[in-house]
Amino acid sequence: MGALMIEARWATYIANDLRRAGLALDGPLKEVGLARTDVASPEGRIPYAAYMGLIERAALLLDQPGYGLKLGASYDVRDSGLVGFIALNSPTLGDALSNVERYIDVTNEGLDVAFEWPGSGAGVLRFREADAPMRGLRHHTEQSMALL
């Protein structure tokens, strides 16, 4: 199996935040194995490990301990590409969360997602990093939760 991949969409948003803060982009990108061309289009694909490194590095460079939360809250579900489109066009919240579970791998191979609907009561969306060593990194998890 090759490297887990993710759509570059959120990496482009991170790159924009770094630029707006007046920070040089080449250094942080190089540190995680990316180049400017990798974050030029939200439709591109980058290694998931590089994305995880970039969001964690950006939080440090921007001196924002809650960067993942801020990033997720700064965008609408409509800004999430295909999975956001599918979720928004689902007839119910339960259907939307089921569709996130079903289609997340299309844009993000780095997450294991499970939606549990016990019948009556609330459903639960569970996700974790597919790569066990990345499970202690928090900014992507916070970004995802703030978006939901």
Side-chain angles (χ1 to χ4, degrees):
M1 180 171 129
L4 299 174
M5 302 295 283
I6 186 172
E7 190 176 61
R9 180 170 316 279
W10 288 95
T12 64
Y13 299 155
I14 294 167
N16 289 339
D17 284 349
L18 292 171
R19 283 188 200 103
R20 276 193 294 275
L23 298 169
L25 195 53
D26 292 329
L29 291 175
K30 186 176 180 181
E31 287 176 30
V32 299
L34 297 174
R36 284 179 186 251
T37 55
D38 294 318
V39 295
S41 168
E43 305 304 324
R45 294 182 66 75
I46 60 173
Y48 189 73
Y51 169 75
M52 292 293 287
L54 183 61
I55 193 171
E56 294 292 325
R57 187 73 183 121
L60 292 172
L61 291 170
L62 296 167
D63 194 27
Q64 293 184 7
Y67 179 67
L69 290 170
K70 177 201 159 286
L71 181 65
S74 297
Y75 292 90
D76 190 89
V77 173
R78 290 177 200 77
D79 300 315
S80 295
L82 176 66
V83 175
F85 175 82
I86 291 169
L88 283 173
N89 286 284
S90 300
T92 67
L93 178 59
D95 291 330
L97 295 175
S98 290
N99 284 330
V100 168
E101 174 187 21
R102 184 176 302 121
Y103 295 109
I104 193 72
D105 284 348
V106 174
T107 60
N108 184 346
E109 298 171 352
L111 286 178
D112 289 329
V113 176
F115 177 60
E116 300 166 8
W117 189 263
S120 63
V124 177
L125 183 67
R126 298 180 193 277
F127 70 94
R128 67 179 185 174
E129 308 304 330
D131 190 2
M134 290 189 198
R135 292 185 185 151
L137 303 175
R138 68 176 231 260
H139 290 285
H140 180 242
T141 300
E142 292 176 1
Q143 173 254 310
S144 299
M145 289 295 91
L147 183 63
L148 290 175

